[in-house]
Amino acid sequence: MRTPTILLMCTGLAAAAFPAAAQQPAAKKSPAAAAALQGPAASYKDLKYPPLKEIQIPKVESYTLPNGMRIYLLEDHTLPIISGRALIRTGNLFDPPEKIGLAETTGAVMRTGGTVSTPGDQLDQTLESMAASVETGIGETSGSANFFTLKENLDKVLAIYADVLRHPAFRQDKVDLYKNQTRSAIARRNDDPGQIAEREFTNLVYGKDNSYGWQQEYEHVDRIERADLENFYRRYFFPANVMLAVYGDFSTPELKAKLEGAFKDWTVTQQPVPAFPLVKAKWQGGVYLVSKDDVNQTNLRIGHLGGMLKDEDYPALQVMGDILGGGFRSRLLEQVRTKLGYAYQVGAQWGANYNHPGLFEVSAATKSESTTKATKAILDEITRLREKEVSDEELATAKQTTLNGFVFFFDTRSKTLNRLMNYEYHGYPKDFIFQYKKRLE
């Protein structure tokens, strides 16, 4: 059965807004590579590389404070710095439909508004004097509260961090400032044709009547009050709803004592946070047009609902996306841009998220007069991929590209810690990345 596909075009007739990308200078060859390619019969295929090393997962100390707060600690004495990252189970998916943007506003003003004892501007000055930072925010499926400090200033920064988490003030002037900044962003959001196409494509697939596809408007901003921020904070920011990972140059026993001291009096309780809403997308395949008269180009988005990271066929679909439009050797780039010259940029990917489906999406930018030809060329490549098997070489290259990228998932110990915490936050097994790697192979 064919999946209904959405084709969205943001197109216009006036001056071009996206000049062709500049050519990148050729990368310098390493001495080994240069030597290997000498001679009339030399080929890049003659290069030999040792197999990639097996990924080593460092041991992470994890425990739960008496108040229910989950802690993850990973020592690294390479540099005298310490950073922390908290995940809070909340998100803009919990926004009330009449006050879209409440979660994001809460996450921003939680920091800029300062604490009950210290205004946000004073916190800025104190932290800047120590080359430290404390930041908060709320995205689609999680809230965050992060800190960074030199080892010598840990006690001072940790005290500020705990104060921000426990006693945000949500001062009215900072609420008003953020709401004005949001209104300004709404006023500018139709300036970029690519952003218009991306936004409307997302809304078409997920639907505008639910928290995955709805859009913040001036009326929603106007309805948000300081009391709404306070209520949102109280509902979702409590110890048992927080996971905190700390990484850097510390002694684990000493840091345990510091964290227990910083949060021992934070004993607020709430009912468990409900599951995030399910995606119930019922999109209609077809062609949708957005007119923008001040450009002479078209931004295309073609696709439909994607999947989740834990889907059994996600590895195959990721490889499919790479073959179709994942890089300079992809079919779309070679055919639509290089051979036919119909697009300034073109690509594709199979999108997936931890806890809800992403989007399968082909994106392209072309001249207005090339819109029909570029669209047909893209759809021809999708049809060819559906109906004919890919070559052994294409498959091997796409698999190796993805497998070789694994090293960047774990090239620092902090990335490893964050990934392991994300798995636990979203209910994935700790060895998920290795299960995925085996399926990919």
Side-chain angles (χ1 to χ4, degrees):
M1 177 182 297
R2 290 181 179 271
T3 304
T5 298
I6 286 176
L7 165 59
L8 182 138
M9 304 179 189
C10 178
T11 184
L13 301 174
F18 283 86
Q23 295 294 320
Q24 298 295 322
K28 294 183 179 180
K29 297 183 178 68
S30 66
L37 291 174
Q38 288 179 354
S43 167
Y44 71 91
K45 296 180 180 179
D46 298 328
L47 294 171
K48 304 297 181 183
Y49 298 98
L52 293 174
K53 296 181 180 179
E54 287 296 319
I55 298 171
Q56 300 295 322
I57 303 297
K59 179 176 175 53
V60 176
E61 179 84 14
S62 62
Y63 64 102
T64 303
L65 292 177
N67 61 8
M69 188 173 174
R70 290 286 296 161
I71 305 294
Y72 305 81
L73 305 179
L74 180 59
E75 292 186 32
D76 189 321
H77 304 285
T78 306
L79 295 171
I81 57 176
I82 299 172
S83 61
R85 174 186 179 233
L87 286 178
I88 299 91
R89 188 165 186 79
T90 184
N92 62 31
L93 295 178
F94 293 135
D95 278 347
E98 73 279 5
K99 297 180 180 181
I100 299 170
L102 173 59
E104 183 179 337
T105 306
T106 302
V109 183
M110 183 175 171
R111 169 61 181 85
T112 61
T115 68
V116 173
S117 62
T118 311
D121 295 339
Q122 186 175 332
L123 289 180
D124 293 341
Q125 295 175 3
T126 301
L127 290 166
E128 288 171 4
S129 70
M130 298 185 289
S133 66
V134 172
E135 303 295 340
T136 62
I138 298 178
E140 185 176 65
T141 57
S142 67
S144 64
N146 306 326
F147 73 83
F148 172 86
T149 180
L150 297 172
K151 178 181 179 179
E152 63 194 64
N153 298 321
L154 175 61
D155 290 349
K156 296 178 182 178
V157 175
L158 185 59
I160 294 173
Y161 180 71
D163 198 23
V164 170
L165 265 177
R166 297 175 55 187
H167 307 117
F170 298 110
R171 286 178 170 80
Q172 186 64 55
D173 62 328
K174 299 302 183 182
V175 176
D176 295 339
L177 175 61
Y178 190 80
K179 289 173 66 173
N180 286 334
Q181 291 171 337
T182 303
R183 292 187 185 99
S184 178
I186 292 174
R188 298 193 309 270
R189 69 185 177 197
N190 290 334
D191 293 349
D192 188 326
Q195 292 181 6
I196 296 172
E198 188 67 27
R199 180 188 72 222
E200 296 302 322
F201 176 76
T202 300
N203 292 348
L204 282 167
V205 177
Y206 286 125
K208 293 185 177 181
D209 60 346
N210 64 83
S211 53
Y212 289 95
W214 62 30
Q215 179 173 283
Q216 187 179 28
E217 304 292 353
Y218 293 120
E219 61 186 280
H220 304 122
V221 180
D222 293 341
R223 292 192 190 108
I224 295 173
E225 303 292 344
R226 178 174 179 268
D228 298 317
L229 276 63
E230 293 177 322
N231 291 334
F232 194 95
Y233 165 81
R234 280 194 291 266
R235 175 63 187 94
Y236 297 106
F237 283 76
F238 57 97
N241 201 41
V242 177
M243 302 167 63
L244 171 62
V246 184
Y247 162 83
D249 187 14
F250 56 79
S251 161
T252 295
E254 292 179 4
L255 185 57
K256 279 186 175 182
K258 293 179 187 293
L259 292 174
E260 289 172 3
F263 295 105
K264 67 180 180 180
D265 296 330
W266 194 23
T267 57
V268 178
T269 59
Q270 281 282 8
Q271 293 296 315
V273 174
F276 292 112
L278 299 176
V279 171
K280 298 179 180 179
K282 295 181 180 179
W283 72 94
Q284 296 293 320
V287 178
Y288 300 80
L289 301 177
V290 179
S291 177
K292 185 169 173 59
D293 296 333
D294 58 348
V295 296
N296 68 345
Q297 67 171 30
T298 296
N299 276 268
L300 300 173
R301 298 295 186 272
I302 302 174
H304 48 70
L305 202 65
M308 295 174 63
L309 292 170
K310 63 184 178 183
D311 291 343
E312 285 297 322
D313 56 359
Y314 171 65
L317 290 165
Q318 186 185 25
V319 170
M320 175 278 296
D322 190 76
I323 292 171
L324 179 63
F328 282 101
R329 74 203 175 287
S330 70
R331 291 183 176 188
L332 287 178
L333 197 84
E334 289 185 355
Q335 182 70 10
V336 181
R337 176 179 168 176
T338 304
K339 183 177 179 180
L340 300 175
Y342 289 157
Y344 315 124
Q345 56 190 37
V346 62
Q349 66 173 355
W350 183 269
N353 298 309
Y354 281 107
N355 49 26
H356 66 272
L359 300 174
F360 166 61
E361 183 175 353
V362 179
S363 61
T366 183
K367 295 180 294 184
S368 295
E369 57 265 32
S370 304
T371 300
T372 303
K373 294 178 180 179
T375 303
K376 184 180 184 303
I378 290 170
L379 294 175
D380 286 346
E381 289 304 312
I382 294 174
T383 299
R384 184 162 73 94
L385 189 61
R386 285 177 58 93
E387 298 180 352
K388 296 182 180 180
E389 289 189 0
V390 302
S391 68
D392 291 341
E393 183 178 0
E394 283 181 308
L395 178 60
T397 300
K399 285 174 61 175
Q400 286 304 314
T401 298
T402 306
L403 287 168
N404 290 343
F406 268 71
V407 65
F408 299 108
F409 295 164
F410 301 95
D411 57 340
T412 67
R413 290 166 68 87
S414 60
K415 280 187 183 180
T416 301
L417 178 60
N418 287 337
R419 183 169 292 275
L420 293 175
M421 188 167 68
N422 283 336
Y423 290 158
E424 184 159 341
Y425 179 85
H426 292 287
Y428 279 58
K430 292 181 179 180
D431 64 342
F432 170 76
I433 195 67
F434 298 107
Q435 296 178 20
Y436 165 72
K437 183 172 182 285
K438 288 179 181 178
R439 296 204 307 272
L440 185 65
E441 292 170 336

